[in-house]
Amino acid sequence: MIEGILETALYADDLDAAEAFYGGVLGLEKVLRAGNRHVFFRCGPGILLIFNPAETTKPPSKDALPVPPHGTRGAGHACFRISGEAIDRLREKLNKAGVAIESDFHWPNGARSIYFRDPAGNSLECAEPKLWNIE
């Protein structure tokens, strides 16, 4: 019944820094920004949601959509799908932006991953889809 993941959520106290990082450094297309509550980005066929955790724990106002309070605190993790050829280009772009690469390796099945952090401390990974035997 479940077809895949439609959206992934990460949390950041500083949405301006998150917007600059995901839009500017990673080059994701911004879909929506709602004040200091959230900023959303298109990420392939899905959406990456960046929420301010202090705002998403508040109940919705009477005139808002009935989305229940949710969220977490602390660093999360997301892995972005990327081709093997693009990993080196992204790594160079991250280095130029002063983003440290924490790990760059090949998994036992030959897939390559790089790990780095966003300004909020979330652990981000860019990996070849063959990591999970996906084409």
Side-chain angles (χ1 to χ4, degrees), residues 5-132:
I5 294 176
L6 181 62
E7 57 190 35
T8 298
L10 293 173
Y11 295 82
D13 294 323
D14 185 344
L15 289 186
D16 292 333
E19 184 174 352
F21 181 79
Y22 288 96
V25 176
L26 295 186
L28 298 179
E29 174 193 351
K30 181 173 67 173
V31 174
L32 174 71
R33 168 103 187 230
N36 196 37
R37 185 179 188 281
H38 61 257
V39 59
F40 298 165
F41 297 91
R42 184 159 315 286
C43 187
I47 301 292
L48 175 63
L49 313 172
I50 308 292
F51 289 110
N52 178 340
E55 296 297 319
T56 58
T57 57
K58 296 176 183 175
S61 64
K62 299 227 184 287
D63 60 337
L65 296 172
V67 177
H70 63 283
T72 187
R73 298 237 178 237
H77 172 74
C79 179
F80 300 106
R81 177 184 184 136
I82 189 170
S83 72
E85 299 79 37
I87 289 177
D88 287 325
R89 291 193 310 271
L90 179 61
R91 184 183 171 111
E92 183 178 321
K93 188 173 183 180
L94 292 168
N95 284 332
K96 285 181 181 176
V99 178
I101 302 298
E102 294 183 332
S103 185
D104 181 344
F105 68 97
H106 287 84
W107 291 89
N109 72 354
R112 183 178 174 198
S113 285
I114 60 171
Y115 287 83
F116 52 96
R117 301 226 174 231
D118 75 2
N122 290 300
S123 173
L124 303 178
E125 177 184 7
C126 288
E128 294 176 279
K130 68 182 178 180
L131 172 64
W132 294 107

